[in-house]
């Protein structure tokens, strides 16, 4: 047999060996990627170099303090079918917008879209096997163990949401409270018929038992949507939609209907309560019953309405005269 034939045979062997190895590697990569999975691509809006997703239930009325910013362009709508829809912004809300969009035929709603880090959202999906494995670390488990999984931050400081499937998600609360490690919570959430009902700290609870109990949801949504605002036990996620100052006094309002104020930086009194918007007026009542404070809403400012307010003699508002404008 000639050297040329031998060399030719060796080349064929090397070639087929290369093809075989490449094919095996391709199959392994496919299986690994399929098993590990990437996060499903949510509908996204692209506005001023920021990416937005919509993880919350829709609202029938626009929250206080949001103003029309314009209509979504084709580029901003990013193939979501929302081009031309109105969107609303709030100068105090840096992490979200509202879009007035069609939820079903002849039904229009306000949907909150929140700003996300697209790179973090595109990481590998957390799955239930991961949760079971990680839970075995117990008290040694920290937010760092979840850094490389797909997640978004709904806006509340130190809160992360890891979507798993239509039945489960994992929430981390207090992830950036470096000086308060005891504040960290790592919850697995199970969903019932439209409402989140179950919550388990995976560092202390029986994760596998919890999964078995909550795995049979009949919901068909492709993506998990969360109540808004979300007040499930120790998971508390609300958005500051008003933050007004005047001569050291601060008045703030959240989208869950709560609000509060303090009269000066040296005052120990914190007036917490609930508010409602009726027409062009905002009325805040403190839980202790001392104050019923009324403001007229004028554009994006609040104007103190002394005549419609009920100020107790317990404290006074020396810095606020009738007609005082808060911006």
């Amino acid at each position: 047999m000639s050297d040329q034939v031998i060399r030719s045979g060796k080349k064929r062997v090397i070639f087929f060996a290369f093809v075989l190895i490449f094919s095996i590697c391709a199959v392994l990569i496919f299986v690994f990627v399929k098993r590990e999975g990437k996060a499903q691509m949510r509908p996204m809006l692209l506005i001023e170099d920021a990416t937005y997703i919509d993880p919350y239930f829709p609202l029938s009325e626009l929250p206080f303090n949001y103003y029309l910013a314009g209509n979504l362009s084709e580029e901003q709508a990013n193939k979501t079918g929302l081009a031309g829809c109105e969107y609303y912004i709030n100068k105090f809300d840096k992490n979200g917008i509202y879009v007035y969009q069609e939820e079903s035929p002849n039904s229009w709603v306000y949907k909150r879209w929140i700003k996300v880090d697209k790179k973090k959202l595109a990481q590998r999906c957390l799955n239930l096997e991961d949760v079971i494995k990680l839970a075995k670390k117990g008290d040694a488990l920290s937010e760092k163990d979840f850094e490389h999984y797909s997640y978004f931050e709904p806006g509340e400081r130190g809160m992360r949401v890891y979507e798993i499937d239509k039945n489960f998600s994992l929430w981390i609360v207090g992830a950036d409270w470096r000086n308060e490690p005891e504040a960290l919570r790592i919850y697995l959430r199970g969903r019932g018929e439209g409402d989140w009902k179950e919550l388990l700290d995976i560092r202390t609870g029986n994760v596998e038992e919890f999964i078995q109990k909550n795995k049979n949801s009949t919901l068909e949504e492709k993506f998990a949507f969360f109540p808004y605002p979300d007040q499930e036990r120790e998971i508390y996620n609300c958005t500051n939609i008003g933050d007004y100052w005047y001569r050291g006094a601060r008045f703030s309002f959240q989208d869950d209907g709560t609000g509060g104020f303090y009269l000066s930086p040296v005052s120990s009194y914190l007036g917490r309560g609930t508010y409602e918007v009726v027409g062009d007026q905002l009325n805040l009542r403190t839980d202790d019953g001392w104050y019923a404070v009324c403001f007229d809403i004028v554009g994006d400012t609040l104007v103190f309405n002394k005549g419609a307010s009920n100020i107790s003699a317990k404290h006074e508002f020396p810095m606020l005269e009738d007609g005082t404008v808060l911006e």
Side-chain angles (χ1 to χ4, degrees):
M1 185 178 296
S2 67
D3 291 341
Q4 184 176 358
V5 173
I6 293 173
R7 285 195 297 271
S8 177
K10 287 182 178 179
K11 288 180 179 179
R12 289 194 189 97
V13 171
I14 293 172
F15 173 76
F16 286 117
F18 175 79
V19 171
L20 179 61
I21 292 171
F22 178 82
S23 301
I24 292 173
C25 290
V27 170
L28 290 175
I29 291 172
F30 173 78
V31 170
F32 177 78
V33 171
K34 185 176 182 181
R35 181 177 67 84
E36 295 297 333
K38 284 287 187 179
Q40 289 182 314
M41 290 303 293
R42 275 182 167 275
M44 295 181 179
L45 301 180
L46 307 176
I47 301 176
E48 296 181 355
D49 298 324
T51 301
Y52 295 81
I53 63 172
D54 62 335
Y56 295 108
F57 285 136
L59 302 177
S60 58
E61 295 184 9
L62 187 68
F64 160 64
N65 249 347
Y66 286 85
Y67 299 93
L68 179 63
N71 297 77
L72 294 173
S73 66
E74 288 284 352
E75 183 179 3
Q76 291 171 328
N78 191 37
K79 300 180 181 179
T80 58
L82 298 178
C85 290
E86 296 175 343
Y87 72 99
Y88 297 78
I89 62 174
N90 179 332
K91 69 177 182 179
F92 302 106
D93 179 6
K94 305 302 181 183
N95 296 308
I97 62 173
Y98 276 90
V99 176
Y100 189 57
Q101 60 190 81
E102 191 171 21
E103 182 76 357
S104 60
N106 302 316
S107 175
W108 287 73
V109 297
Y110 293 97
K111 182 67 74 69
R112 179 168 170 78
W113 293 72
I114 60 171
K115 188 184 300 184
V116 296
D117 185 326
K118 192 173 181 180
K119 291 182 179 179
K120 292 177 180 177
L121 197 64
Q123 296 177 147
R124 180 170 84 78
C125 277
L126 183 70
N127 59 44
L128 293 175
E129 289 76 16
D130 295 324
V131 175
I132 293 171
K133 181 179 178 181
L134 288 166
K136 294 178 181 178
K137 297 182 70 171
D139 290 337
L141 192 63
S142 74
E143 74 277 11
K144 293 181 180 179
D145 293 298
F146 297 88
E147 285 288 347
H148 302 297
Y149 296 105
S150 171
Y151 71 93
F152 64 85
E153 298 166 304
E156 182 69 9
R157 174 173 168 258
M159 182 176 289
R160 302 177 185 175
V161 178
Y162 295 77
E163 293 181 320
I164 297 173
D165 57 30
K166 66 185 181 67
N167 297 329
F168 296 97
S169 65
L170 184 135
W171 292 57
I172 295 181
V173 184
D176 65 352
W177 296 3
R178 303 302 182 193
N179 297 324
E180 302 176 52
E182 69 280 0
L184 182 69
R185 300 289 185 272
I186 304 175
Y187 291 121
L188 183 64
R189 302 189 70 171
R191 186 168 63 170
E193 291 293 336
D195 296 313
W196 292 97
K197 297 180 179 179
E198 301 294 336
L199 198 64
L200 177 80
D201 191 322
I202 69 171
R203 296 172 299 176
T204 58
N206 189 324
V207 174
E208 295 183 67
E209 180 180 296
F210 181 87
I211 291 171
Q212 288 298 317
K213 179 182 176 183
N214 293 278
K215 69 179 182 179
N216 295 318
S217 170
T218 59
L219 297 173
E220 299 297 332
E221 286 96 335
K222 181 178 180 181
F223 301 106
F225 288 87
F226 307 117
Y228 192 81
D230 180 14
Q231 302 180 54
E232 187 69 30
R233 289 170 58 183
E234 291 188 64
I235 293 181
Y236 184 76
N237 178 38
C238 63
T239 300
N240 182 27
I241 59 176
D243 201 6
Y244 297 88
W245 295 80
Y246 185 77
R247 293 186 182 178
R250 179 192 180 192
F251 294 80
S252 62
F253 305 94
Q254 287 73 47
D255 59 355
D256 61 353
T258 63
F261 61 87
Y262 59 80
L263 303 180
S264 75
V266 297
S267 172
S268 61
Y269 179 74
L270 178 62
R272 294 295 304 173
T274 58
Y275 73 89
E276 63 176 348
V277 176
V278 179
D280 293 328
Q281 286 189 333
L282 182 150
N283 298 286
L284 169 66
R285 290 182 175 274
T286 57
D287 295 333
D288 56 24
W290 289 345
Y291 293 110
V293 187
C294 178
F295 293 97
D296 296 322
I297 302 172
V298 181
D300 59 358
T301 67
L302 297 181
V303 180
F304 182 55
N305 187 327
K306 187 174 183 178
S309 301
N310 180 13
I311 305 300
S312 166
K314 185 78 175 179
H315 295 84
E316 293 297 336
F317 279 67
M319 78 296 292
L320 292 182
E321 299 292 338
D322 189 46
T324 297
V325 178
L326 280 70
E327 300 183 10

